[in-house]
Amino acid sequence: MSLEQNVKDFLRNIDNNKNLNAFNFIFEESIEQAKLIEEKIKAGTAGKAAGLVVAIKDNIAIKDKPLTCSSKILNNFNSIYNADVVERLINEDAIIIGKTNCDEFAMGSSNENSAFGIVKNPYDETRVPGGSSGGSAVAVAANLCDAALGSDTGGSIRQPASFCGVFGLKPTYGRVSRYGLTAFASSFDSIGPLTKNIEDLALVLSIISGWDEKDSTSQNIPVQDYIENINHKSKLRIGIPKEYFGEGLNDEIRTVINEQINFLIGKDFEIVDISLPHTEYSIATYYILTTAESSSNLARYDGVRYGYRSKNSKNLSNMYMNTRSEGFGAEVKRRIMLGTYVLSAGYYDAYYRKAQKVRRLLKQDFDNAFEKVDLILTPTTPTTAFKIGEKTSEPLEMYLNDIYTTSANLTGIPALSIPIGFDKNGLPIGMQLMSAQLNEQVLLETAYQINKQNKN
Ligand code: GLN
């Protein structure tokens, strides 16, 4: 099939699946791009991703395209430059088909916090796709593109990947440039791929990884050859942390994960029981530190430089207030208020400073564990996809959905969610693999082995 036809087929799928609401914007010019790339393939000059059709989460900048973060406050805002990841994909001849829906400013676990409306899970449209990269997960799961980029501050790639039955990777902090990613919590944010198979994930990761002088936290360390080594079989030790298999984990997920562990034992992986003793503090630490960082990052949206501006205000400070009151949604306001509170003079020591110390202890837990094991295996989520509306009135319930995913962001390590089966309602189940910083390679090769087995 020609690249042009392939893009047209995806555009038709997008049109037929409008009810899923996965995309905020579609780029029809992707058809023209497909034609140009076909010419390059004929001439033998095409890049590594020639013809790969990619969707980009709407909090990542594409030059001259809208960048809304699914927020009213960025209504009509267009980016004037490409994110580094976008630049790298275009340089390798990927085709960008559109921008995907997400929770407003990537704050959420269900994609219900979007000014563009909720996104639906293709396995059951009465359920959420997960969030905040819900549109990206759905675009991949419903075959509306080959691969998508998401962002992950506390699980926003892995949790929707798990709920929608696709692969999703949060790379090591600093492995992929954040230049052009709208900041939520800058010391946690990572961009990463969501794909239908592990080979595509390795390809996209190898393209978007690497040093970028425009991101001071980007790591200037050579990128592993993820594609070449995917079939590599190292003798790996896998740690099973008891804290991730306690109360609250759904029984069907537990059973399916145990089956995977038994398979790995049969495959000569060494399984080791481990402990990550500070796990119970991860959610609280995450929500103190990320709200603090976001209250500062979101201060720039005041109606002066970006997007939406409230009309008919009496004076400047009134204009700021009205713009922010009208432009931000409820969850974003909740985070800004929480973050302002934990940073306030009277509470800084009790909350922000203490949380920084606990972050250090969590990092120590993982450093200790990675002296004994190469990988850590856990569920991605405590439950499968929940019903739309089920948790919207209980923010704490919603936050608890991130129980297994936030640690990787608190500690900067890479983490991959792999689809491993379905529950009795036919909803996808995901399993998470984590490794030491910059060792994405072992995640990919283990996932490759597991996936080969699950396909047979
Ligand atoms: N669900 C988490 C939150 O609401 C994670 C978000 C993310 O990773 N962007 O903060």
Side-chain angles (χ1 to χ4, degrees):
M1 185 177 28
S2 72
L3 286 188
E4 182 187 345
Q5 191 54 46
N6 191 35
V7 170
K8 284 183 172 161
D9 287 350
F10 279 134
L11 288 171
R12 201 194 50 228
N13 287 353
I14 292 172
D15 205 44
N16 292 340
N17 286 285
K18 274 209 176 108
N19 53 318
L20 298 175
N21 203 22
F23 281 86
N24 288 351
F25 304 98
I26 317 280
F27 305 150
E28 297 284 343
E29 67 265 34
S30 50
I31 299 174
E32 289 311 308
Q33 270 157 16
K35 289 185 199 161
L36 290 174
I37 292 166
E38 238 158 53
E39 292 304 315
K40 281 190 171 182
I41 294 175
K42 279 194 205 126
T45 58
K48 278 204 284 189
L52 191 81
V53 177
V54 184
I56 307 283
K57 185 176 180 178
D58 199 11
N59 63 348
I60 299 175
I62 305 178
K63 191 173 188 305
D64 299 329
K65 297 290 183 197
L67 174 60
T68 71
C69 301
S70 292
S71 180
K72 185 176 167 191
I73 213 160
L74 283 174
N75 193 14
N76 297 328
F77 178 75
N78 279 15
S79 172
I80 54 170
Y81 61 87
N82 278 331
D84 183 66
V85 289
V86 168
E87 196 74 28
R88 287 175 192 255
L89 283 167
I90 292 173
N91 286 343
E92 294 295 343
D93 292 321
I95 298 169
I96 296 177
I97 196 159
K99 300 200 80 178
T100 51
N101 201 339
C102 56
D103 283 300
E104 184 178 4
F105 286 103
M107 295 174 184
S109 309
S110 67
N111 228 300
E112 292 165 295
N113 307 328
S114 166
F116 288 77
I118 55 178
V119 179
K120 293 179 178 160
N121 191 311
Y123 284 89
D124 174 350
E125 294 186 20
T126 67
R127 291 178 188 270
V128 304
S132 63
S133 313
S136 292
V138 171
V140 174
N143 198 30
L144 313 181
C145 59
D146 290 312
L149 291 187
S151 67
D152 192 312
T153 303
S156 277
I157 290 175
R158 291 161 285 154
Q159 187 252 20
S162 172
F163 279 10
C164 294
V166 302
F167 291 83
L169 174 80
K170 179 207 100 66
T172 303
Y173 183 76
R175 176 73 303 177
V176 175
S177 168
R178 290 183 292 115
Y179 179 74
L181 169 67
T182 310
F184 162 8
S186 309
S187 77
F188 293 72
D189 298 338
S190 299
I191 297 176
L194 296 100
T195 60
K196 294 166 200 167
N197 58 61
I198 196 71
E199 291 87 348
D200 284 350
L201 192 126
L203 172 67
V204 177
L205 181 66
S206 67
I207 293 169
I208 63 175
S209 294
W211 184 64
D212 173 19
E213 64 179 355
K214 297 184 288 325
D215 172 2
S216 63
T217 58
S218 131
Q219 305 209 41
N220 193 356
I221 292 174
V223 178
Q224 293 166 305
D225 193 338
Y226 306 121
I227 301 169
E228 184 66 26
N229 296 329
I230 200 157
N231 200 7
H232 195 253
K233 288 187 197 131
S234 316
K235 270 216 158 294
L236 297 171
R237 295 158 303 169
I238 302 187
I240 313 290
K242 62 171 188 284
E243 293 82 1
Y244 284 65
F245 291 84
E247 245 177 84
L249 174 61
N250 168 285
D251 280 336
E252 286 183 81
I253 299 182
R254 189 190 302 275
T255 306
V256 178
I257 292 202
N258 282 334
E259 284 166 13
Q260 298 293 325
I261 296 176
N262 286 334
F263 155 72
L264 290 165
I265 294 174
K267 274 280 178 200
D268 285 348
F269 285 88
E270 191 189 333
I271 303 292
V272 185
D273 288 326
I274 60 164
S275 172
L276 298 165
H278 296 94
T279 299
E280 63 175 303
Y281 305 111
S282 59
I283 289 271
T285 310
Y286 169 83
Y287 276 96
I288 289 172
L289 296 177
T290 56
T291 53
E293 291 190 26
S294 68
S295 70
S296 161
N297 274 327
L298 271 57
R300 72 192 72 175
Y301 307 107
D302 56 9
V304 176
R305 194 173 307 180
Y306 297 98
Y308 178 75
R309 176 181 300 175
S310 176
K311 298 195 179 51
N312 307 323
S313 298
K314 292 196 294 283
N315 53 39
L316 185 63
S317 65
N318 195 247
M319 190 279 285
Y320 291 154
M321 204 164 73
N322 291 345
T323 297
R324 287 168 70 81
S325 304
E326 293 159 23
F328 287 134
E331 180 61 24
V332 172
K333 285 181 196 160
R334 176 160 31 238
R335 306 256 180 144
I336 293 173
M337 286 190 276
L338 275 170
T340 309
Y341 180 79
V342 300
L343 286 174
S344 62
Y347 292 99
Y348 183 91
D349 285 340
Y351 293 106
Y352 185 77
R353 192 190 299 279
K354 199 175 217 169
Q356 288 287 34
K357 290 180 181 170
V358 181
R359 187 178 196 178
R360 170 80 221 153
L361 292 173
L362 282 158
K363 174 77 169 58
Q364 197 64 54
D365 278 1
F366 279 87
D367 288 348
N368 292 342
F370 288 125
E371 281 179 12
K372 295 192 213 98
V373 298
D374 305 292
L375 287 165
I376 294 175
L377 183 155
T378 75
T380 309
T381 54
T383 65
T384 50
F386 47 89
K387 291 268 186 193
I388 291 169
E390 191 180 318
K391 296 185 198 285
T392 34
S393 57
E394 276 302 330
L396 207 58
E397 277 281 298
M398 189 74 93
Y399 296 171
L400 283 173
N401 213 260
D402 306 328
I403 185 117
Y404 305 135
T405 49
T406 52
S407 302
N409 306 74
L410 282 156
T411 59
I413 61 173
L416 170 66
S417 181
I418 313 169
I420 52 162
F422 297 90
D423 70 5
K424 62 176 183 307
N425 295 322
L427 299 171
I429 294 175
M431 180 170 85
Q432 176 173 242
L433 296 175
M434 298 184 268
S435 72
Q437 288 202 5
L438 296 169
N439 206 0
E440 277 78 0
Q441 184 53 52
V442 296
L443 301 181
L444 298 185
E445 64 179 76
T446 308
Y448 184 80
Q449 298 286 327
I450 293 171
N451 193 45
K452 217 163 56 180
Q453 159 75 13
N454 289 347
K455 273 199 282 201
N456 292 337

